[in-house]
Amino acid sequence: MSQKSDRIDDIWGNRTPYIDSWPERLDERTLGAPDRWVQSACVLCSNGCGCDVAVKDGRIVGIRGRTVDRVNRGRLGPKGLYGWEANNSADRLRSPLIRGPNGEFAACDWDEAMTLIVERTRECVRRHTSGAIGFYTSGQLFLEEYYTLGVIGKAGLGTPHMDGNTRLCTATAAQALKETFGTDGQPGSYTDLDSTEAILHVGHNIAETQTVLWARILDRRRGPRPPRLIVIDPRSTFTAKEADIHLAPRLGTNVPVLNGLLHLIIESGQIDREYIEQHTTGFEVLEQTVKSWTPERVEQISNVPAAKLRAAAEILGATSTLVSTVLQGVYQSMQATAAAIQVNNLNLIRGLIGKPGCGVLQMNGQPTAQNTRECGADGGLPGFRNWSNPAHVAELARLWNVDPAVIPHWAPPTHAMQIFRYAEEGSIKILWISGTNPAVSLPELTRVRRILDKKDLFVIVQDAFMTETARHADIVLPVAMWGEKTGCFTNVDRTVHISHQAVPPPGGARSDLDIFLDYARRMDFRDKDGQPLIKWNDAEGAFEAWKECSRGRPCDYSGMNYAKLSAGSGIQWPCTDQFPNGAAHLYTDGIFNTSASYCEDFGHNLKTGAARTPEQYRANDPRGKAFLHAADYEPPHEVPDADFPLWLTTGRVVFHFHTRTKTGRVAALRNAAGDVFVQLSSIDSSKLGIATGDLVSIESRRGRVVAQASVGDIEAGHVFMPFHYGSWDTSGNDPPRAANELTLTEWDPVSKQPHFKYAAVRIAKQDKLPLAETPADTGMKVRDQGKEIKHRLATVDSGIQVRTYLGLLNDTERELAEAFTTVAQHHRPEPDIHQMCSMLASWSRRHSTAIQLALSRFGKTEENSADRVRATIFQGPHSGALGLLHDLHDLYLLVTGAQLCWTVLLQAAHALRDKDLEAVAQQSGGETDGQLAWLETRIKQAAPQALTVRK
């Protein structure tokens, strides 16, 4: 079947219902008869559809799907069918640009541009060390480019500061997989959708984000054996309207809803106990944690009706096969990693993993996000190696023939938000941005622009267009786009595609790979034998080098080559002698990648993000069992109030990709979704006197935008804005329209993914609000995390000396709460410090409350030294990077004192056989351990930058 639909009005095309397999359907769109077709794959969402590029007279003139490809069977979505037109845009960058003394850009040749970059690099390393250089890359480059960049950064320069904009969309996917299964990598496959009995979409509007994958689901739903569909989303999206059951939770309450589903399934006995016992660890804690999340309690917290929750649980508990998918509604919201892990837990306790029709797809938001993670361009080590495992570092050093000490592994890899913070406070001096547009995509854009404009920051931008970010650069390098270079990339279900060069890039534009190779040659990076560190000169050479790096690791590409990838369909990894055609499923034997010698990560505390030490992990080596990590509810840190009464969430629309750098230059896509809008409920619109089409102002504590209103299909109290829209195609006098003017600088403590999915805002008709400058207040109102702990304490002899330590501990916790609060307020520009120290202060206040109840029985001695201890130990607050390290150090010492007190009291409780005091000491002492673990993790991160980078 061939379809030449415009895909604007008919987004998913005609239905081709399943009978025994997914039928082929050829989607094609050309602007004239091509001279030839060139094999490729689409890079305008994370689905990874195989396609062919039409070429005529040296220009791209069309596209068609590849009917032999396992991912799409010939289908393409709207962005795929139209997006290629951006390659032919008249405003493509064709030569390097250097900013002159007057602030204007001037064209130059490549030698001048690269000479300047190399000179600045060498001077920076000489004066400040390589710790003053940061790289921020994309989710749209090719595997070969990421791997080359990873080797340059880790073995050439030795900088720990490397991440991608995949931090904004896929970091939680990777972390959830690592925390549960030991390493990154999706357990299942797209083909599971062909046979599964049930599908669960959590925070995943698949109808708009992966249109061809949604077409696959629609075709199953129109066939003879339709799967049941459950959707969890606060908006009534295309996806939700198709669902059998739609759960619409209040923002930030994913964990309560998922805990409620787990509770009902466990309570009903619809779990695979044999699988749980043989292949998982942690079930007892999970069962105990979710026990209190009854449907009624879930409804109270999340607004999801108890009856609907029960109906969803009945489907999930009864199905014999299940595919669960997760995306930004989880990843960019409160407790991101914790919530994503609960989805893993759901499949695991039912034993529905590692076999046909069963799997979890922790989805990606960008086409090559998987390669960013695999190749080490996101800060991790290539091949899913563990940066805190010396054997993995040594293995990589042997592969690259470098000293292991060169490879950054002395602290956690620096995530994107921290890279920009280091640039803000001045310890990063060079920031190299490739293929991404943070001046639109990062949160709190006023702050981002201020950072990019810092006089002591040298900004390099690689892009095909003069983006909002490129306008702030010191040097701009023009790059080849998709279709103008050769390389491979990997989609969500581990399918690797090759994209061959179809046409040359315009003017002097170069591929990202050629730019990185040129930089490496000019920097003269060498291995231990004096040979060039980068030993390849083209894309195929880079792929062959990557194959050796991946050999023996979960993402094993060793059985692939360019010829094999060019023979028809994409191929899934692992592709080895054992799986020459790729493997559809991981963990078919129930053995996971959690062994201490093999795992990619030793895990974290889901509440604080504190890293588990190698020693702790090895002491309880799961030896191939999956983790069932439990999590209880933590409210969002910014909530609506009288001034800002509505919840804002952001997301995507079907016709645009990322910041519209490409899709915004395609007339059909631009006409279909030309401008930003704000969606609000009919209840809220009625209260505010707003109708669809009205121009409204949306304000948060960080900024203000103007957009047209769209009424309906969202829960009351919530508003939605797409994040795609920046300013490159507006006049300088237009009001701001980027959703990220409003979002807050805060991130998940484990994955470090920003919280784009909630912020407090207010809305009014435009004529009711004067134009105003962006509010300067960038602070967050932090809600106390805890509820008072109440214990029944019987009367006891007040003369025993437990009271001595109760008194000391009471004052210690009070002093700790004050010290944490002081650090939180003083270091407000460090969002994670403000967020976490505020939360840890609330823990200490909660501990003090618990102690009061014990003091009422035991009495309190008047002799106390806690205030003197704090005055002696805590000398802060201090300013700057070194000051932050000092303050964290002091807090660590103070918390150590509290930890010892709780240890002493727990032993006394055992001796007294006092169960109530024992419960207080165990719970509060455990949280004190969590405070200490977070402080140690954050100190390890802060120390290298504060102590080694010369200012």
Side-chain angles (χ1 to χ4, degrees), residues 799-812:
I800 61 177
Q801 293 307 308
V802 170
R803 64 183 184 181
T804 303
Y805 263 86
L806 283 170
L808 174 61
L809 188 52
N810 177 57
D811 291 315
T812 298

Side-chain angles (χ1 to χ4, degrees), residues 223-257:
R225 296 177 300 278
R228 303 298 298 276
L229 179 62
I230 302 168
V231 172
I232 303 178
D233 194 313
R235 299 171 61 215
S236 183
T237 62
F238 290 120
T239 313
K241 289 175 181 178
E242 173 71 17
D244 296 295
I245 297 177
H246 173 209
L247 307 181
R250 183 169 59 84
L251 289 177
T253 61
N254 290 323
V255 166
V257 172

Side-chain angles (χ1 to χ4, degrees), residues 921-937:
Q922 284 180 333
Q923 180 166 340
S924 298
E927 289 186 334
T928 302
D929 290 343
Q931 290 174 325
L932 208 59
W934 178 80
L935 285 164
E936 181 176 359
T937 299

Side-chain angles (χ1 to χ4, degrees), residues 72-340:
N72 60 316
R73 304 285 286 167
R75 295 158 181 78
L76 293 172
K79 294 189 288 290
L81 281 170
Y82 289 87
W84 56 267
E85 292 185 29
N87 285 58
N88 299 327
S89 296
D91 61 343
R92 287 284 301 274
L93 296 175
R94 287 169 165 75
S95 65
L97 304 172
I98 294 178
R99 189 182 298 277
N102 60 355
E104 298 295 323
F105 283 111
C108 66
D109 60 29
W110 277 100
D111 185 63
E112 183 180 356
M114 296 306 295
T115 296
L116 176 60
I117 292 172
V118 169
E119 287 176 352
R120 293 298 293 261
T121 302
R122 288 175 173 160
E123 178 67 8
C124 183
V125 172
R126 185 185 68 80
R127 294 184 58 192
H128 308 289
T129 78
S130 60
I133 301 173
F135 291 88
Y136 184 56
T137 189
S138 177
Q140 299 169 63
L141 274 58
F142 287 161
L143 177 157
E144 296 83 351
E145 294 164 333
Y146 289 131
Y147 184 56
T148 302
L149 176 61
V151 178
I152 288 172
K154 290 174 174 60
L157 291 167
T159 176
H161 309 315
M162 180 176 287
D163 203 359
N165 66 16
T166 49
R167 180 65 55 185
L168 313 181
C169 67
T170 189
T172 301
Q175 198 60 48
L177 293 168
K178 288 185 279 189
E179 297 286 343
T180 298
F181 306 120
T183 69
D184 199 345
Q186 306 291 346
S189 172
Y190 287 167
T191 53
D192 292 323
L193 294 167
D194 300 350
S195 60
T196 191
E197 293 178 3
I199 301 169
L200 171 66
H201 294 312
V202 187
H204 183 194
N205 181 16
I206 187 174
E208 295 196 68
T209 55
Q210 289 93 14
T211 55
V212 171
L213 196 58
W214 178 241
R216 192 171 195 147
I217 293 171
L218 288 177
D219 285 351
R220 272 296 318 279
R221 297 266 295 173
R222 302 300 181 268
R225 296 177 300 278
R228 303 298 298 276
L229 179 62
I230 302 168
V231 172
I232 303 178
D233 194 313
R235 299 171 61 215
S236 183
T237 62
F238 290 120
T239 313
K241 289 175 181 178
E242 173 71 17
D244 296 295
I245 297 177
H246 173 209
L247 307 181
R250 183 169 59 84
L251 289 177
T253 61
N254 290 323
V255 166
V257 172
L258 293 165
N259 277 355
L261 292 171
L262 289 165
H263 163 71
L264 288 168
I265 292 168
I266 293 171
E267 183 183 52
S268 68
Q270 295 173 304
I271 58 176
D272 190 332
R273 288 198 177 274
E274 182 179 358
Y275 189 90
I276 291 169
E277 291 171 4
Q278 292 183 4
H279 301 296
T280 72
T281 181
F283 177 74
E284 293 78 10
V285 176
L286 177 67
E287 182 179 27
Q288 188 62 35
T289 301
V290 303
K291 191 173 183 178
S292 66
W293 286 100
T294 62
E296 290 71 26
R297 186 182 178 204
V298 171
E299 180 172 359
Q300 181 183 19
I301 298 295
S302 71
N303 293 338
V304 170
K308 276 196 168 186
L309 191 78
R310 287 191 175 95
E314 287 175 8
I315 293 173
L316 296 172
T319 184
S320 63
T321 51
L322 172 66
V323 174
S324 303
T325 77
V326 189
L327 197 58
Q328 312 300 22
V330 170
Y331 301 160
Q332 295 176 343
S333 192
M334 186 67 187
Q335 294 185 278
T337 305

